[in-house]
């Protein structure tokens, strides 16, 4: 037998062994679910004590549990007057029509990152928006306008986006709670 034929025969044998091992191991991995479906993140303990519905918002691979602002009244109120957010908590503003929705920090007690989302990706980001200065009137508050149309805005604690490597273009997956319909 020549050298080339011996090499091909040896490679064929190695391939046969690898195939046999794969046939044995692959069904075991599929049966465990480890390879067939992604792991769903477990809601944090603090969420159990909340009454309002929360959406699961995954941004760039990191999950935020977001209060929902679905109605014009809820969107106007936003997080005004809220004392703080948990590290993995936010508020998701949901709009029935895509647009360039401006935001301000009226009544805010802590700084925020604002992320404008168009369906499944971040299209603009305004990090580290400060609380209003003492005595600052509403007419003096800065208005933060996005550079692109969006149908969602996510507010999270200031520094969250940088800590998780979130940038314009980061992928987003939004899972609404059962029974919650998007506004029309």
């Amino acid at each position: 037998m020549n050298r080339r034929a011996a090499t091909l025969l040896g490679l064929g044998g190695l391939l046969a062994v690898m195939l046999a091992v794969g046939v044995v191991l692959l069904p075991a991995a599929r049966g465990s679910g480890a390879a067939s479906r992604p792991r769903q993140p477990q809601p944090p303990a603090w969420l159990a004590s909340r009454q309002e519905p929360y959406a699961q918002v995954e941004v760039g691979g990191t999950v935020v549990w977001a209060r929902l602002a679905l109605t014009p009244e809820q969107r106007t109120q936003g997080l005004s007057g809220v004392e703080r957010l948990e590290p993995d908590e936010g508020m998701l503003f949901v709009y029935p029509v895509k647009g360039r929705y401006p935001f301000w920090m009226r009544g805010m007690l802590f700084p925020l990152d604002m992320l404008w989302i168009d369906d499944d990706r971040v299209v603009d980001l305004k990090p580290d928006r400060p609380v209003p200065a003492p005595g600052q009137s509403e007419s003096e508050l800065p208005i933060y306008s996005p550079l692109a149309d969006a149908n969602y805005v996510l507010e999270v604690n200031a520094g969250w986006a940088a800590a998780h490597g979130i940038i314009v273009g980061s992928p987003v997956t939004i899972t609404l709670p059962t029974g919650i319909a998007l506004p029309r």
Side-chain angles (χ1 to χ4, degrees):
M1 187 186 302
N2 68 26
R3 186 179 224 175
R4 183 177 172 150
T7 302
L8 288 176
L9 186 59
L11 288 175
L14 180 60
L15 183 60
V17 169
M18 289 173 60
L19 182 61
V21 169
V23 167
V24 170
L25 294 180
L26 188 58
R30 281 195 180 141
S32 71
S36 60
R37 61 184 176 271
R39 185 179 72 72
Q40 288 290 358
Q42 292 298 312
W46 59 261
L47 192 57
S49 65
R50 305 299 169 94
Q51 298 301 313
E52 66 269 1
Y54 277 73
Q56 178 182 311
V57 182
E58 184 176 340
V59 185
T62 301
V63 171
V64 172
W65 300 92
R67 303 172 185 204
L68 292 168
L70 301 170
T71 67
E73 297 78 20
Q74 291 169 333
R75 291 190 295 262
T76 298
Q77 176 63 37
L79 291 169
S80 295
V82 173
E83 291 186 24
R84 69 180 190 89
L85 289 175
E86 298 292 335
D88 52 356
E89 183 181 18
M91 178 168 257
L92 183 68
F93 297 78
V94 181
Y95 294 93
V97 176
K98 291 181 186 186
R100 294 189 183 193
Y101 298 102
F103 275 64
W104 61 352
M105 296 289 286
R106 181 180 59 92
M108 287 304 303
L109 303 175
F110 54 93
L112 293 171
D113 288 351
M114 298 174 183
L115 293 78
W116 281 264
I117 300 166
D118 182 17
D119 292 331
D120 61 358
R121 66 185 178 93
V122 175
V123 294
D124 201 0
L125 169 65
K126 305 284 190 235
D128 302 314
R129 300 299 93 183
V131 298
Q136 189 174 21
S137 70
E138 283 188 12
S139 64
E140 297 173 316
L141 293 175
I143 304 294
Y144 304 108
S145 297
L147 300 174
D149 288 349
N151 50 343
Y152 302 99
V153 178
L154 179 65
E155 291 183 339
V156 290
N157 287 308
W160 181 89
H164 297 285
I166 306 305
I167 59 171
V168 170
S170 290
V172 178
T173 302
I174 298 171
T175 305
L176 294 172
T178 304
I180 298 292
L182 293 178
R184 301 274 177 231

